Amino acid sequence: MLNISQYKNNLSLFSLSVLQGYEPVSLDRGDNSTIGIIESLYKNINNFSYENQDLDFLSKQFDIKGKVFKTYDSKWKNKGKECLNLDLLQALAGYLFLRVLLANGNCKESSLAKYINVCWKIFESIELPEFLKKAKNTLSLIQNEMQKRILDNEEFLEKPSLKESLHGSFEIKYEFKILPINVLFYENPIARAYLEMLYSLKLKPKKIIHLIPERDIVSKRKIGRFLPLKMRQKYIHNIQLSKISYWPRYFIHKHKDLCDILFKELKESLHIKNSSITGLAKLKPLKLFSNEIIQITYDGFKDKRFLDSIKLTGSEFSLFTGGGIIPKNIFDETNAKLLHIHPGFLPDIRGADCFYWSLMLAERTSASCFIMDSGIDTGEVINAKFLPKLKLLNCTKGLSEEMIYRLIYSFVDPWIRAAVLRDTILNTNYFTNVESFKQDISEGTTFHFMHKNMREKIVNSFV
């Protein structure tokens, strides 16, 4: 393990050599200078705290965007497009690593995990200076120690869990029942899993509002702009289908044996019908799942057409199947009650890649049904559950970590969410008796996308 005093000295010398090459940044009143923050960290290195709020902000910027701008306004929005040069990023990497060294064993493991994650990201994106050459080995050791402590403390052992058996929980119906919710359908495996789950329970939502984005999901260019509306909607949806459904269909066709093992595990652990699991990739017509389909073409959440689509739901619950943060004005201007199923136990595990963060922190996956607001997974919680352990080792043999990631988000993540949707239907008496509770935001941690070095450790723990 590195000697922290010696490391501070090396970091201080490096910071001084870097900062001498930069003039003080001229700021408008209230603006924030990244160079100024690094200079402040250098001057106060002997009293450095891993809870430094300015460093937390720069860490979050790099964690999410993979870059840091030189200047931010008083509300921490970037001013201009000039980013930090390599030497300043190297200094920032030094302070992010110092934060890990000082936080190790002294803070919540979830916070330490975030600190380690952003370190991996910045280490992999820049050339490391001499004083950081051994940092990767130390970071890996600290990560291993953290994981051992997490597994020993069993923090989440007493949290609510999904019932091991759901056989007989639902009444046997011979005709379809209309569920008093709508589905805001955005084409993806998650939305398909929801519809297949409802269909298996002989339930149909009141209506499906089919949200069709005008822009290509990769190029972001508008598609078929000169076609008539109906023809354009069909054309856009077909393109969207081919791209979003690519990986589920790829695995079924190219890795059938692995999929068969995975589907059997999902069936046995989560009690999901095999026909529903395979149906996810068959892309059945939406009219099969609801008696009323409304198609809405829109250009992002700020488009008035998106607002109008939300207004169509009135004050009824609507299951949101897309991603992203919905603007505050949507909630201010409507009576919308948008339901979202997040693949993490709220309020403890918020943000991105929570399938992996949940496995790291609890050795089990989890999911929560909540009522959305304009924050990131901060709305009132209806139902939060940990799920039975999934044995995925035999389902991932021979696949690279990148391909395992795609397999997880093609099938496992969607069915974890769908299983909690089913549990929520049962617990709310088919959404006729919905109770929710406010989150204590200070209790949880908001995570960002997990670096592959951390994901690999988790993948290797699949049993």
Side-chain angles (χ1 to χ4, degrees):
M1 193 68 71
L2 290 177
N3 180 286
I4 294 179
S5 296
Q6 183 60 50
Y7 176 78
K8 280 187 176 182
N9 185 55
N10 293 338
L11 175 57
S12 181
L13 291 172
F14 181 82
S15 299
L16 177 61
S17 68
V18 168
L19 291 168
Q20 285 176 337
Y22 291 91
E23 295 291 331
V25 176
S26 178
L27 298 174
D28 295 331
R29 187 173 182 179
D31 283 355
N32 295 285
S33 163
T34 302
I35 298 173
I37 292 174
I38 293 175
E39 183 177 22
S40 176
L41 293 171
Y42 155 68
K43 289 180 178 179
N44 295 284
I45 194 167
N46 290 328
N47 297 311
F48 179 90
S49 169
Y50 63 81
E51 296 178 311
N52 184 284
Q53 292 184 353
D54 287 340
L55 183 61
D56 278 346
F57 171 77
L58 299 185
S59 173
K60 181 178 179 180
Q61 289 295 303
F62 197 89
D63 207 352
I64 296 173
K65 300 177 181 178
K67 59 185 175 183
V68 176
F69 292 95
K70 283 191 174 180
T71 309
Y72 295 86
D73 65 18
S74 59
K75 296 182 179 179
W76 292 101
K77 292 184 178 180
N78 60 288
K79 293 188 71 173
K81 297 183 179 179
E82 191 174 5
C83 295
L84 291 189
N85 297 332
L86 173 61
D87 53 359
L88 289 166
L89 278 177
Q90 290 172 328
L92 176 60
Y95 289 103
L96 292 174
F97 182 58
L98 177 58
R99 180 174 65 171
V100 170
L101 294 175
L102 295 178
N104 184 32
N106 295 311
C107 72
K108 291 194 308 182
E109 304 298 356
S110 56
S111 297
L112 180 60
K114 284 187 66 172
Y115 299 161
I116 293 172
N117 191 53
V118 73
C119 263
W120 280 124
K121 289 182 179 180
I122 199 167
F123 284 179
E124 293 293 322
S125 67
I126 63 172
E127 178 184 352
L128 295 181
E130 191 61 35
F131 78 96
L132 278 175
K133 292 295 185 183
K134 297 180 181 179
K136 287 185 179 180
N137 289 336
T138 303
L139 191 62
S140 185
L141 289 173
I142 292 174
Q143 181 178 322
N144 291 339
E145 290 174 359
M146 175 194 70
Q147 193 62 55
K148 289 178 182 177
R149 292 195 299 268
I150 287 173
L151 299 182
D152 287 341
N153 67 22
E154 298 181 335
E155 177 185 356
F156 298 102
L157 191 62
E158 301 302 320
K159 298 288 186 180
S161 297
L162 201 71
K163 293 180 180 179
E164 293 294 329
S165 176
L166 290 165
H167 298 303
S169 298
F170 287 88
E171 59 182 289
I172 299 175
K173 296 183 291 292
Y174 298 96
E175 295 183 355
F176 278 89
K177 176 179 179 178
I178 303 299
L179 196 64
I181 66 169
N182 308 297
V183 172
L184 291 165
F185 180 86
Y186 179 91
E187 185 66 66
N188 60 42
I190 296 166
R192 289 286 172 178
Y194 292 158
L195 293 184
E196 290 288 344
M197 176 62 80
L198 293 179
Y199 192 85
S200 73
L201 301 173
K202 283 193 165 290
L203 296 171
K204 289 187 177 184
K206 290 182 68 174
K207 54 178 171 271
I208 292 176
I209 300 173
H210 185 188
L211 299 170
I212 305 174
E214 288 185 331
R215 295 182 184 272
D216 183 84
I217 60 173
V218 178
S219 70
K220 305 303 180 185
R221 294 179 180 177
K222 285 194 174 183
I223 306 170
R225 62 177 69 188
F226 300 115
L227 294 174
L229 178 61
K230 291 295 183 183
M231 189 180 297
R232 184 166 77 248
Q233 288 176 333
K234 185 175 181 179
Y235 178 62
I236 295 171
H237 185 226
N238 285 339
I239 292 175
Q240 188 185 26
L241 268 177
S242 65
K243 293 185 177 181
I244 291 180
S245 66
Y246 175 81
W247 287 113
R249 298 172 82 176
Y250 168 86
F251 284 114
I252 286 175
H253 292 135
K254 300 292 185 179
H255 295 278
K256 185 179 182 302
D257 291 344
L258 289 182
C259 283
D260 287 344
I261 298 171
L262 174 60
F263 295 170
K264 182 179 179 182
E265 176 63 20
L266 291 173
K267 178 182 177 183
E268 293 178 354
S269 297
L270 303 181
H271 304 290
I272 300 169
K273 294 179 179 178
N274 193 64
S275 59
S276 299
I277 298 172
T278 57
L280 180 149
K282 292 182 179 179
L283 309 176
K284 301 168 187 175
L286 295 184
K287 63 183 179 182
L288 177 69
F289 302 103
S290 178
N291 298 331
E292 184 177 0
I293 312 293
I294 300 172
Q295 291 187 321
I296 301 286
T297 309
Y298 74 110
D299 186 13
F301 293 153
K302 294 182 180 180
D303 190 330
K304 184 179 181 298
R305 290 171 294 180
F306 179 75
L307 174 63
D308 291 340
S309 72
I310 301 299
K311 288 181 177 179
L312 287 173
T313 68
S315 59
E316 299 169 339
F317 283 112
S318 296
L319 183 60
F320 181 70
T321 65
I325 301 174
I326 294 180
K328 185 175 181 296
N329 75 290
I330 298 293
F331 300 99
D332 292 339
E333 298 179 36
T334 68
N335 295 318
K337 295 179 182 177
L338 303 185
L339 302 175
H340 183 57
I341 300 178
H342 163 70
F345 190 92
L346 295 177
D348 301 273
I349 306 171
R350 295 188 297 267
D353 267 355
C354 286
F355 169 87
Y356 282 95
W357 291 113
S358 184
L359 277 179
M360 167 175 276
L361 296 171
E363 289 191 288
R364 292 183 293 161
T365 59
S366 59
S368 306
C369 179
F370 70 100
I371 303 170
M372 297 179 73
D373 60 17
S374 57
I376 300 176
D377 306 326
T378 54
E380 293 191 10
V381 177
I382 297 172
N383 185 29
K385 293 288 176 66
F386 277 95
L387 283 81
K389 287 187 178 182
L390 293 171
K391 299 176 182 178
L392 301 177
L393 185 62
N394 291 332
C395 315
T396 58
K397 284 183 177 177
L399 296 180
S400 67
E401 191 281 324
E402 181 181 11
M403 293 301 286
I404 292 172
Y405 190 80
R406 289 169 174 158
L407 179 68
I408 293 298
Y409 285 102
S410 292
F411 294 110
V412 185
D413 174 84
W415 286 112
I416 286 169
R417 299 184 197 229
V420 169
L421 170 62
R422 178 184 58 196
D423 189 68
T424 305
I425 293 170
L426 180 64
N427 290 342
T428 61
N429 191 22
Y430 297 86
F431 284 103
T432 62
N433 184 23
V434 177
E435 296 181 0
S436 61
F437 65 88
K438 289 185 177 180
Q439 296 187 53
D440 181 350
I441 304 304
S442 64
E443 285 186 2
T445 303
T446 299
F447 295 96
H448 306 297
F449 288 106
M450 188 181 281
H451 188 269
K452 64 179 181 180
N453 285 15
M454 299 188 79
R455 295 201 310 258
E456 283 175 348
K457 295 277 186 181
I458 295 169
V459 166
N460 291 334
S461 72
F462 285 160
V463 292

